Amino acid sequence: MDTTKGNSAVIPTTNPFDDDHLREECAVFGVYGHDDAAAHVALGLHALQHRGQEAAGIVAFDGRQFHAHRGLGLVSDIFADSNVIDRLQGSAAVGHTRYSTTGETLLRNVQPLFAEFEFGGMAIAHNGNLTNARTLRQDLIRHGAIFQSTTDTEIFNHLVANGRGDMLERVNQALKTVEGAFSLIQLTKDGLIGVRDPLGVRPLQLGKLDGAWMLASESCAFDIIGAEFVRDILPGELVVINDDGVHSHRISLTAKPRFCIFEYIYFARPDSVLEGKSVYAARKEIGAELARESHIEADLVIPVPDSGVPAALGYAQESGIPFELGIIRNHYVGRTFIEPTDEIRHLGVKLKHNANAGLIAGKRVILVDDSIVRGTTSKKIVEMVRNAGAAEVHMRISSPPTAYSCFYGVDTPEREKLLAANLEVEAIREQIGVDSLAYISLDGLYKAVGEESRNSAAPQYCDACFSGDYPIALKDQMEGDEPPQLSLLAELG
Ligand code: SF4
């Protein structure tokens, strides 16, 4: 039974008060073996809300039937009515929260997607992006597939439908056909399946609460429900969770994983532990490394809230310059009903941030932020700090220049709109109006996350948005890329 509710109106995908950051597109969360599976999924999604604020959904299985609810907006609004959770009965459930990269967020694109197959129903939740989605979609359509959404996740369903063998064999065949970054959770009548792509670009973790198993994008989702973190799902690993426990399978043997290094800089919540590293500790160490690389005499280190806080703390501790909250953030500025015109965007920075003028006046300040994307917000913040009377304004960025778009599940503007794709550091400094500007180096970033340096022969992370070194071929982006002539049915056989 699909109890889908929510209105189908189109809402803006860009928060006009914060359009100058890269955004993680999605979070996934699944529970197997708990009487309140859907309620726990809702709580887990709430903890993962930072990974996507446009829409969310949960599909639960009660042993006989699947129940679904999806809506547009925040998790706390979509699942506010306790009747909704009550209807999502069953001891297994999967949930998803999303940030859309397309110009609109339609209810039909909201995950988990659900479809009926020969082996029964399957709900699927996906974090990441398929890099051969366009070519696969064209081929599937040519062979008669009818798509109901514009998400690349639906391609996976069609591949499973076209496959041969039992459910797991079909899933395995589909996984061999898709390329890109994907952390997937699937719910079937036989259990929960979790998969991470061969390079492990996006995170996926295993947790446990009493006798129940959980899969989540980040460990902070286990904390909220009192579950214990068990381990990261390995790159190229598929786990099947059912009444017999957790069974691990390899979908591919990878030479070297390439986890997204930006998770440590900005995307993940600082209280999460990813790939064995505390995100908070990594961010502080990035700030400390930044201070070592680009020290300057100043009176105050000020974070651009909230994401710049841990790096600014690390910078202040390493440099010995006092850390102060010189910019105060209004946490109650959320989505808006106002259209995101340039005029409103300009107003937006002031609505969200205010300079602590009494603290800043007459001081030489170092602002620490995690990234500069288009540069529009940075410029406004610098103006605000200067207007509050700062004697000097220096900017330190806890990522290398973001000069390339991400195609692995993070919303980035086209390359030409990225400031660092067009301008050198000195020109960016001039444009945002600071006295000095420095980014952490790529080697410094690697050092801060525990590597000796970026081994350019075999980089240890995905860092493509800084280096342009894309670890997974961008099939859909390749110029003159012809749609494949292969017959998917033949290939899958
Ligand atoms: Fe992460 Fe950047 Fe790689 Fe995208 S391109 S996965 S944001 S490191």
Side-chain angles (χ1 to χ4, degrees), residues 22 201-202 259-263 267 405-410 462-466 470-471:
L22 304 187
V201 176
R202 303 256 72 86
F259 182 56
C260 166
I261 204 163
F262 224 135
E263 293 278 357
F267 302 136
S405 301
C406 174
F407 298 96
Y408 305 141
V410 170
C462 177
D463 53 32
C465 45
F466 312 127
Y470 290 96

Side-chain angles (χ1 to χ4, degrees), residues 377-406:
T377 305
S378 306
K379 192 172 176 185
K380 300 280 186 295
I381 284 175
V382 171
E383 266 172 27
M384 193 174 67
V385 170
R386 285 210 188 276
N387 290 340
E392 292 173 19
V393 183
H394 305 276
M395 179 80 90
R396 295 293 178 268
I397 303 297
S398 64
S399 64
T402 308
Y404 299 88
S405 301
C406 174

Side-chain angles (χ1 to χ4, degrees), residues 22-342:
L22 304 187
R23 290 182 190 288
E24 184 71 65
E25 284 173 20
C26 304
V28 291
F29 192 84
V31 170
Y32 185 86
H34 197 290
D35 288 345
D36 285 327
H40 283 72
V41 170
L43 285 166
L45 292 180
H46 180 63
L48 296 170
Q49 187 77 84
H50 59 288
R51 297 180 80 89
Q53 298 95 41
E54 305 287 8
I58 296 176
V59 176
F61 181 63
D62 67 6
R64 278 188 324 114
Q65 280 190 309
F66 288 88
H67 308 271
H69 184 86
R70 306 175 188 88
L72 303 179
L74 298 176
V75 174
S76 54
D77 297 328
I78 299 164
F79 298 101
D81 180 351
S82 59
N83 292 325
V84 169
I85 293 291
D86 288 347
R87 284 199 298 270
L88 296 172
Q89 288 179 6
S91 60
V94 60
H96 187 268
T97 179
R98 89 187 287 256
Y99 176 81
S100 165
T101 51
T102 57
E104 54 187 21
T105 301
L106 296 172
L107 204 51
R108 68 192 164 97
N109 281 343
V110 179
Q111 299 189 31
L113 300 184
F114 180 79
E116 292 284 356
F117 300 90
E118 273 176 84
F119 55 80
M122 183 173 83
I124 182 168
H126 171 203
N127 172 210
N129 218 41
L130 302 184
T131 48
N132 60 346
R134 181 176 61 84
T135 45
L136 287 177
R137 179 183 284 262
Q138 284 172 345
D139 205 44
L140 284 160
I141 288 172
R142 203 172 294 134
H143 285 88
I146 297 169
F147 279 81
Q148 305 210 355
S149 77
T150 55
T151 67
D152 50 0
T153 313
E154 194 180 352
I155 291 165
F156 195 81
N157 279 350
H158 286 283
L159 294 174
V160 170
N162 286 338
R164 298 197 182 139
D166 64 18
M167 180 269 295
L168 206 52
E169 286 167 332
R170 287 163 182 247
V171 168
N172 263 307
Q173 289 156 13
L175 290 169
K176 287 191 169 64
T177 308
V178 296
E179 292 173 19
F182 48 87
S183 283
L184 297 169
I185 304 180
Q186 294 142 64
L187 173 67
T188 73
K189 64 180 173 46
D190 300 317
L192 212 55
I193 297 172
V195 192
R196 219 169 147 202
D197 70 73
L199 296 186
V201 176
R202 303 256 72 86
L204 188 65
Q205 304 186 309
L206 181 69
K208 197 175 186 190
L209 176 65
D210 304 324
W213 293 98
M214 275 128 218
L215 291 163
S217 295
E218 287 183 40
S219 61
C220 65
F222 300 139
D223 297 340
I224 195 174
I225 52 174
E228 159 201 351
F229 166 78
V230 176
R231 67 174 177 87
D232 292 281
I233 301 300
L234 299 172
E237 183 183 11
L238 178 152
V239 290
V240 178
I241 302 176
N242 55 29
D243 290 344
D244 299 328
V246 180
H247 310 270
S248 171
H249 306 258
R250 300 294 304 183
I251 57 164
S252 84
L253 292 171
T254 175
K256 200 107 174 84
R258 300 286 293 272
F259 182 56
C260 166
I261 204 163
F262 224 135
E263 293 278 357
Y264 290 123
I265 299 166
Y266 172 63
F267 302 136
R269 243 173 67 162
D271 51 340
S272 286
V273 175
L274 296 175
E275 300 288 306
K277 288 185 181 68
S278 150
V279 174
Y280 181 78
R283 268 176 213 170
K284 272 186 77 180
E285 192 46 42
I286 292 169
E289 183 62 29
L290 185 57
R292 287 189 284 273
E293 284 188 353
S294 60
H295 180 73
I296 193 157
E297 292 300 321
D299 302 310
L300 299 174
V301 173
I302 292 174
V304 176
D306 288 328
S307 48
V309 173
L313 258 176
Y315 192 104
Q317 287 174 3
E318 178 65 23
S319 64
I321 301 169
F323 171 95
E324 291 287 356
L325 297 179
I327 299 172
I328 306 300
R329 179 178 169 187
N330 181 348
H331 285 264
Y332 303 98
V333 178
R335 210 149 310 286
T336 178
F337 50 88
I338 309 170
E339 285 300 309
T341 60
D342 283 347

